Amino acid sequence: MVSSSHEALHRIFQQDPGLFARAARHLGVAFPPPVSTVELSTDLTETQPLERRVDTLLQMNTEDGSFLLAVESQGRPAPDKPASWAYYLSYVYAKYRIPPVLLVVCADRGTAEWAARQVDIGPRQWCSLSLRPLVLGPDDVPVIDSPDDAARDIPLTVLSAALHRRDPGADAILNALAKALKGLSADDENTATTFIELTEQGLGATQAAELWRHLMAVDLSFFQSQTAQQLRAESRAKDLLLLLGHRGVEVSEEDRERIVGCGDPDVLGLWFRKALTATSTAEVFASEGEAGVDAG
């Protein structure tokens, strides 16, 4: 099953295709920034029953010409992947007749080291094809912990947060990113909520994700859109469930669905305050009047 953190590591390049050229500079490779991009179908299936899909495929049009950017998010080493990647590149080159580049994004250092190996395909006497991916891992993207630097390149900061999510510097990156997002104008609200969502996805199930949800619960009040309300509600629902679990309060599947399905941050905030002392979910859900009757 594809994880949300997997999605974020390649979707960020859909959101801002120019991020590729900026990030590639940290690998010592100079690509010109795109003047336009075309998002292509990721379906590389040729005949049934074999189906092959690349994570993200973009046609990058620059002043120096065009190339195809195939982005793969890789969570762990997989022996069969180099053969699949070679197929992807050969197929899209045959289909579009545009030179392809493979970018592999890895949040794990060991996986990044594995993915960066050149793979020669052919007998030992003659290499018919060489696979040379560009790889972005935690050691290839800087820790962006200054709000000013974060504001200058929010997409790169989101990528930095995702790749350094298990590192000691993750908290500083997230604090800088939160400040940068808060500095956006009201006209950029949709853009901000997109990057907020991508950041949460990219952090996966880490302690950094908990900090991000806390930062957004506190600092997201400057956005008032339905998306922002939903993000606040999701954050508060997760915090409420964590609190109940920490206090040993039994939560039935029905109770869990009620909490997760509640889209009102104010109601969830009220339930959270009650959960600080409640001994059952019935006490958490009780109205103020019912609570008074029970107390009496």
Side-chain angles (χ1 to χ4, degrees):
M1 187 168 97
V2 177
S3 67
S4 59
S5 58
H6 172 103
E7 289 291 300
L9 289 179
H10 69 87
R11 277 186 56 212
I12 186 67
F13 293 93
Q14 297 176 18
Q15 182 65 29
D16 181 6
L19 173 61
F20 169 67
R22 302 195 301 275
R25 287 199 294 267
H26 299 287
L27 300 174
V29 185
F31 282 91
V35 293
S36 67
T37 62
V38 179
E39 189 168 342
L40 305 174
S41 171
T42 61
D43 189 348
L44 306 184
T45 305
E46 188 169 9
T47 59
Q48 293 296 339
L50 184 62
E51 180 178 310
R52 298 180 187 270
R53 288 183 182 272
V54 67
D55 286 337
T56 285
L57 184 62
L58 300 170
Q59 178 178 325
M60 310 284 275
N61 304 315
T62 77
E63 293 181 350
D64 291 341
S66 300
F67 65 94
L68 298 179
L69 178 65
V71 186
E72 282 280 282
S73 173
Q74 192 67 26
R76 61 181 182 274
D80 295 337
K81 265 298 182 179
S84 296
W85 291 339
Y87 173 90
Y88 297 165
L89 296 179
S90 298
Y91 180 87
V92 297
Y93 183 60
K95 181 176 181 178
Y96 297 105
R97 298 295 176 180
I98 300 174
V101 174
L102 173 64
L103 175 68
V104 183
V105 189
C106 311
D108 174 73
R109 285 180 170 80
T111 303
E113 182 178 357
W114 165 83
R117 298 176 305 165
Q118 176 174 317
V119 177
D120 295 328
I121 300 173
R124 63 178 180 81
Q125 294 89 345
W126 188 263
C127 172
S128 299
L129 183 67
S130 290
L131 178 71
R132 300 176 60 208
L134 281 173
V135 178
L136 284 173
D139 294 332
D140 304 305
V141 174
V143 171
I144 301 176
D145 52 10
S146 159
D148 289 340
D149 291 341
R152 277 191 285 271
D153 199 334
I154 287 177
L156 185 62
T157 308
V158 173
L159 182 62
S160 176
L163 294 182
H164 292 283
R165 61 195 182 197
R166 294 186 178 90
D167 293 347
D171 290 5
I173 299 173
L174 296 178
N175 277 290
L177 179 57
K179 289 183 174 65
L181 290 170
K182 193 170 183 178
L184 293 177
S185 67
D187 293 338
D188 293 319
E189 182 176 332
N190 289 335
T191 300
T193 51
T194 296
F195 288 128
I196 289 167
E197 177 187 356
L198 279 171
T199 301
E200 180 159 0
Q201 288 181 337
L203 294 174
T206 61
Q207 290 184 343
E210 295 302 320
L211 171 63
W212 183 246
R213 284 192 285 270
H214 173 73
L215 288 171
M216 292 301 95
V218 173
D219 291 340
L220 202 59
S221 57
F222 54 92
F223 292 126
Q224 298 300 325
S225 70
Q226 183 177 356
T227 304
Q229 290 279 8
Q230 181 182 351
L231 287 169
R232 284 200 294 276
E234 289 176 0
S235 176
R236 291 187 180 182
K238 290 174 183 176
D239 289 342
L240 174 56
L241 289 170
L242 283 172
L243 175 61
L244 291 171
H246 179 73
R247 297 195 63 246
V249 176
E250 184 177 351
V251 179
S252 68
E253 189 60 33
E254 183 180 355
D255 292 337
R256 182 177 297 274
E257 290 179 0
R258 182 175 180 180
I259 292 170
V260 173
C262 178
D264 189 330
D266 294 333
V267 171
L268 287 163
L270 174 63
W271 290 348
F272 185 90
R273 290 190 293 275
K274 289 184 177 182
L276 293 170
T277 56
T279 58
S280 69
T281 53
E283 292 181 36
V284 172
F285 297 141
S287 67
E288 296 296 337
E290 289 171 338
V293 171
D294 291 342

